[in-house]
Amino acid sequence: MENNEMSMKTPEKSNGIAPGGKIMEFQLLRWSLKIFIIFAIISTIPLFAGSSLRNFTPFPKAEAGIIDLTKVPLEQGTVSLDGQWEFYWDLLLEPGEPVSSTSSRYIEVPGSWNKYTSNKATDFGDGYGTYRLRFVTGENTRLALKIPRMRTAYKLWVNGELIASSGTVGKTRDTMVPQYMTNVSSFEVLQGENEILIQVSNFHHRSGGIMESLRIGGENQIFKLKNKNMAVELIIFGSLICIGVYHLVLFFFRRKKDPSTMYFGLFCVFIAVRTTLGGESFFIYFFPAFNWEIAHKILTSTYYLGVPLMLMFFMEIFPEYFHERIIKISQITALVFTSILIFTPARIFSVVNILYQVWSIAVILYIAVALIKIIVNKEKDSWIISLGAVALLMGSMNDIVFFLPWVSDNELAFFKDLLKSNNLASLGQFIFACINSLLIAKRFSDALEQEEIVTSRLTEMNAHLDDLVFQRTKDLAESNRKIEHQNLELEKKNQALQKLSFKDSLTEVWNRRKYDQMIEKEWNRCLRYQRPIALLVLDIDYFKRFNDFYGHMAGDECLVKIGQVLKNSLSRSTDMAARYGGEEFVVLLPETGKEEALEIAAMLRQKIEDLNIPHEKSMVSDYVTVSIGVTSAVPDLNSLYQDLFGVADKALYQAKDAGRNRIKFLSE
């Protein structure tokens, strides 16, 4: 401590370099920074232009649902499967399924299906359909597909083999599950004609269909492309997080002097978060079960809030070139759209998002005009900021225009050939962040020239050390308060997870753990008031044969459908259906006697049979059926709730022994 005080109180002490030598050092440092920045900008131009330039290579395009790849060296490279695909609206075709030629049309890929469908309601993207492309190769070989995100669920076959899927494809909003996930899949191709078949459904987003290019090529090339893209995004994410946190910490210690560091730090963090959910969506790889709606809201909110943050940053750097009224309008607009985002589903806010895209383009043009004025007036450090801003604005404009419905819904060949990537904003922000960090380094070098001023300030700080300790104590108290708040939030999340632990992950009905909890509670209640309680035990007839014949995926789908019937058929809040294990379900009916229990059992048995799920291996019906054991009792002090299940289970075995697809009642 004494040594530090001595160094701060003796600014007159020489460091062995003459004043002229110091000036020369500073000039060399400035020139080095300029050369480095110019080199960084030039070296990153191919990252922006490379994707588009490659697309002007004379690669074949699909025409009338077929593409000839016989002259393309697929094992040494990759090619986009862009062009006209066959499109079957309102049909989910399986491989080999015959279809009338009149039900097909051709659709441009990539692009949304909103303008191709016959139903007017699909102007908003709701619906489902099947894409089909035939591609011709010159030899038998093994290739791979790089599959982009699709809106908003898909299944993909190559030559009848299911190689990739994302989410759950369905014909209604209730039966589909949306998910954004890119895939890379390998497959065997035959010499001559091969087929790609893709089922796509969308009931959650304004635009539906295949919005990005599929790429085909050799396994090594496709996997290298995937790994390269993932590595770039991880590097950008890590760099932006570090830069963002650094600037936020910088603002924390100097927040009264330079709020631009806070705006810039938040902007970096927002774009870093956006990087994890866009492009290759590597966050979804780590958390594939993450809710699509929440992920999409996080992705969109970073965009909404990033626009005013960018304006506020430039306002702090060059206040005389930006109007406060524009900043206020930008802030209010972002808050309004963020509120809509929070309180509406993606189906709604993705439609409203078009207005914000147009507003964003106007903001980018406003910033571009202001930067031109700044350069013309030769403001200090304007050339450094402007170089980074060019990368930022180009990347942002690319991403905004890429998703404009005017571009994605129409056959605008120029834009679709030019804008092949939708994740350049992160790269532009990364370049801008690096250059802005170099600007801070330059300003630091300028500060070295004012060594006497700095040392005098250090002396003043040393004189007010008590104030500094007080501030750090205050900061520590604030940190403790934040930790307490985080602990409270963690407790809330733990409670939510506990609730999820009572649900069966496949069928979404209650699980055995929840059943054990509820039957004890309802048994004691019926014992207290001397009311009857009934229990149904259901078992799917010949389910093992069903699984063996149709496959486990079909078996899972069968269980899901039966679970939905049970859940939707119980009208009272006290009634519950649960998956007891495997193909066995239980239905708990408090305050229910024998006759009513038998009526409910008959109703459930009939509804399940009416699902008409084919079961060729069943010995009792052409469709999936169930056997049901029923019991009802009034609890007394000499009986246990465990006995209720034992009696119902015994009744179930009697139903099976009697020929299945029937109901048996057994009293305690």
Side-chain angles (χ1 to χ4, degrees):
M1 183 66 183
E2 291 178 358
N3 291 337
N4 291 338
E5 290 178 354
M6 288 291 292
S7 64
M8 286 188 284
K9 292 180 180 179
T10 55
E12 303 85 0
K13 201 168 187 179
S14 172
N15 57 9
I17 300 176
K22 280 189 177 181
I23 294 173
M24 185 173 293
E25 275 189 346
F26 297 145
Q27 293 296 334
L28 287 173
L29 179 58
R30 284 198 189 93
W31 278 107
S32 298
L33 286 171
K34 290 180 180 180
I35 293 170
F36 177 79
I37 291 170
I38 293 171
F39 174 78
I41 290 294
I42 293 173
S43 64
T44 52
I45 288 175
L47 293 175
F48 281 106
S51 174
S52 297
L53 291 175
R54 284 194 302 270
N55 291 310
F56 289 109
T57 306
F59 280 143
K61 294 190 71 172
E63 295 182 4
I66 188 167
I67 184 170
D68 187 357
L69 303 178
T70 54
K71 297 180 181 179
V72 180
L74 292 175
E75 294 184 353
Q76 285 77 41
T78 67
V79 62
S80 297
L81 298 177
D82 295 349
Q84 294 178 334
W85 288 49
E86 291 181 25
F87 184 55
Y88 300 86
W89 177 243
D90 266 349
L91 290 175
L92 294 179
L93 300 179
E94 300 283 344
E97 182 177 345
V99 65
S100 171
S101 60
T102 59
S103 61
S104 70
R105 63 186 71 188
Y106 296 109
I107 188 171
E108 282 291 327
V109 174
S112 74
W113 65 34
N114 292 39
K115 297 298 181 183
Y116 291 85
T117 57
S118 58
N119 185 350
K120 291 183 179 179
T122 55
D123 286 345
F124 295 95
D126 286 0
Y128 54 90
T130 303
Y131 292 78
R132 181 171 178 261
L133 178 70
R134 291 168 293 158
F135 64 95
V136 181
T137 57
E139 59 181 351
N140 297 344
T141 186
R142 186 166 182 83
L143 300 177
L145 268 179
K146 186 176 186 301
I147 307 165
R149 301 174 299 170
M150 300 185 195
R151 290 182 179 170
T152 49
Y154 73 88
K155 294 173 70 176
L156 187 150
W157 291 266
V158 175
N159 292 335
E161 178 187 0
L162 180 66
I163 65 169
S165 65
S166 179
T168 302
V169 176
K171 296 183 178 181
T172 64
R173 182 180 177 86
D174 294 331
T175 57
M176 75 156 293
V177 178
Q179 186 183 44
Y180 276 168
M181 180 179 287
T182 61
N183 278 301
V184 170
S185 299
S186 303
F187 52 90
E188 299 288 341
V189 297
L190 305 175
Q191 181 180 6
E193 189 173 290
N194 298 266
E195 179 191 62
I196 298 175
L197 195 71
I198 310 176
Q199 294 179 354
V200 182
S201 65
N202 172 60
F203 293 92
H204 292 77
H205 198 279
R206 183 261 171 206
S207 299
I210 304 175
M211 308 293 292
E212 303 171 53
S213 299
L214 288 85
R215 297 195 70 86
I216 190 172
E219 281 187 296
N220 291 338
Q221 302 300 323
I222 289 292
F223 278 96
K224 283 181 182 178
L225 178 62
K226 171 73 174 179
N227 293 336
K228 185 190 77 172
N229 291 347
M230 188 75 78
V232 169
E233 290 187 6
L234 284 170
I235 291 171
I236 291 176
F237 167 74
S239 301
L240 287 177
I241 283 292
C242 292
I243 294 173
V245 171
Y246 168 76
H247 282 84
L248 289 175
V249 171
L250 189 64
F251 167 75
F252 180 76
F253 289 106
R254 302 184 62 190
R255 58 187 180 277
K256 293 182 180 179
K257 297 180 180 180
D258 190 8
S260 66
T261 55
M262 179 189 69
Y263 303 144
F264 183 74
L266 288 174
F267 191 36
C268 288
V269 172
F270 283 177
I271 299 299
V273 172
R274 184 176 180 81
T275 303
T276 67
L277 298 170
E280 298 296 333
S281 303
F282 62 82
F283 177 84
I284 305 301
Y285 276 91
F286 297 122
F287 305 98
F290 194 80
N291 183 272
W292 177 89
E293 190 86 25
I294 296 175
H296 198 57
K297 288 190 175 187
I298 294 173
L299 180 70
T300 308
S301 66
T302 59
Y303 164 45
Y304 286 171
L305 298 175
V307 172
L309 280 173
M310 181 170 56
L311 267 175
M312 292 156 68
F313 170 75
F314 284 116
M315 176 74 178
E316 288 295 327
I317 300 297
F318 303 109
E320 61 273 20
Y321 292 92
F322 292 88
H323 299 285
E324 290 189 7
R325 182 176 297 177
I326 300 295
I327 306 298
K328 291 288 185 183
I329 294 173
S330 176
Q331 292 170 342
I332 294 171
T333 304
L335 289 176
V336 169
F337 276 85
T338 302
S339 300
I340 295 173
L341 171 77
I342 293 172
F343 296 108
T344 62
R347 176 66 180 77
I348 302 299
F349 72 74
S350 61
V351 176
V352 181
N353 186 54
I354 300 170
L355 300 175
Y356 201 83
Q357 289 174 305
V358 175
W359 163 250
S360 301
I361 292 174
V363 170
I364 289 174
L365 295 176
Y366 173 75
I367 294 175
V369 171
L371 288 173
I372 292 173
K373 293 179 181 178
I374 291 168
I375 294 173
V376 169
N377 293 334
K378 297 181 179 180
E379 296 286 349
K380 182 182 179 182
D381 300 327
S382 61
W383 67 276
I384 301 179
I385 289 289
S386 299
L387 284 174
V390 168
L392 172 63
L393 299 182
M394 285 176 58
S396 301
M397 182 70 82
N398 176 90
D399 287 12
I400 293 169
V401 175
F402 185 91
F403 285 119
L404 271 177
W406 181 65
V407 175
S408 60
D409 291 354
N410 297 279
E411 297 183 14
L412 303 175
F414 172 76
F415 284 104
K416 291 186 177 182
D417 286 337
L418 185 64
L419 306 174
K420 290 292 185 179
S421 176
N422 66 338
N423 200 33
L424 292 184
S426 299
L427 178 59
Q429 170 61 11
F430 173 67
I431 296 171
F432 180 62
C434 291
I435 292 178
N436 192 64
S437 299
L438 289 172
L439 176 61
I440 293 176
K442 178 183 177 300
R443 290 177 177 175
F444 178 74
S445 70
D446 293 340
L448 293 177
E449 295 179 275
Q450 303 174 358
E451 183 178 356
E452 292 183 358
I453 299 175
V454 172
T455 53
S456 66
R457 288 179 180 175
L458 289 174
T459 303
E460 185 179 353
M461 288 178 60
N462 190 52
H464 298 85
L465 187 58
D466 290 339
D467 294 339
L468 181 61
V469 172
F470 173 79
Q471 181 62 37
R472 290 183 176 176
T473 304
K474 181 180 178 182
D475 294 340
L476 181 60
E478 178 67 15
S479 298
N480 290 335
R481 185 189 67 78
K482 290 181 179 179
I483 291 172
E484 291 177 0
H485 177 72
Q486 290 172 350
N487 289 337
L488 180 62
E489 291 297 319
L490 183 61
E491 180 63 27
K492 291 180 180 178
K493 291 179 180 178
N494 286 337
Q495 292 176 0
L497 287 173
Q498 185 177 11
K499 183 177 180 181
L500 288 174
S501 69
F502 288 119
K503 285 281 187 176
D504 178 62
S505 59
L506 175 64
T507 62
E508 292 297 318
V509 299
W510 298 114
N511 58 21
R512 182 171 177 177
R513 181 181 178 189
K514 180 68 174 180
Y515 161 77
D516 290 338
Q517 183 187 81
M518 291 302 297
I519 192 172
E520 182 178 7
K521 177 182 176 181
E522 293 299 330
W523 177 273
N524 292 332
R525 186 172 67 83
C526 291
L527 175 64
R528 187 181 310 114
Y529 297 104
Q530 281 299 288
R531 302 291 297 167
I533 184 171
L535 183 67
L536 281 59
V537 180
L538 298 83
D539 189 86
I540 302 174
D541 297 327
Y542 302 106
F543 187 72
K544 185 179 183 305
R545 296 184 181 182
F546 183 94
N547 261 344
D548 293 342
F549 184 74
Y550 293 96
H552 289 283
M553 288 183 64
D556 289 348
E557 187 175 342
C558 175
L559 291 171
V560 170
K561 289 181 178 179
I562 292 176
Q564 290 298 314
V565 167
L566 298 178
K567 183 168 67 173
N568 296 335
S569 300
L570 301 177
S571 56
R572 298 185 305 178
S573 61
T574 55
D575 298 342
M576 74 167 292
R579 185 181 179 192
Y580 196 78
E583 69 271 23
E584 199 169 78
F585 295 83
V586 294
V587 177
L588 179 63
L589 303 170
E591 299 189 19
T592 303
K594 173 183 177 181
E595 298 301 325
E596 187 179 358
L598 287 172
E599 289 178 4
I600 293 174
M603 178 266 293
L604 294 176
R605 188 201 66 78
Q606 189 60 47
K607 280 191 174 184
I608 292 171
E609 188 171 8
D610 289 344
L611 289 173
N612 292 335
I613 303 173
H615 192 349
E616 293 184 17
K617 297 302 180 179
S618 174
M619 304 295 291
V620 295
S621 174
D622 293 334
Y623 303 105
V624 169
T625 59
V626 294
S627 300
I628 306 176
V630 184
T631 188
S632 177
V634 177
D636 58 46
L637 296 175
N638 296 322
S639 59
L640 301 172
Y641 67 86
Q642 291 90 342
D643 300 333
L644 197 65
F645 179 87
V647 176
D649 192 53
K650 191 178 295 182
L652 172 64
Y653 278 98
Q654 290 183 4
K656 289 183 176 182
D657 292 341
R660 304 183 189 248
N661 191 21
R662 63 191 63 229
I663 301 166
K664 285 293 183 180
F665 179 88
L666 190 63
S667 63
E668 192 175 4

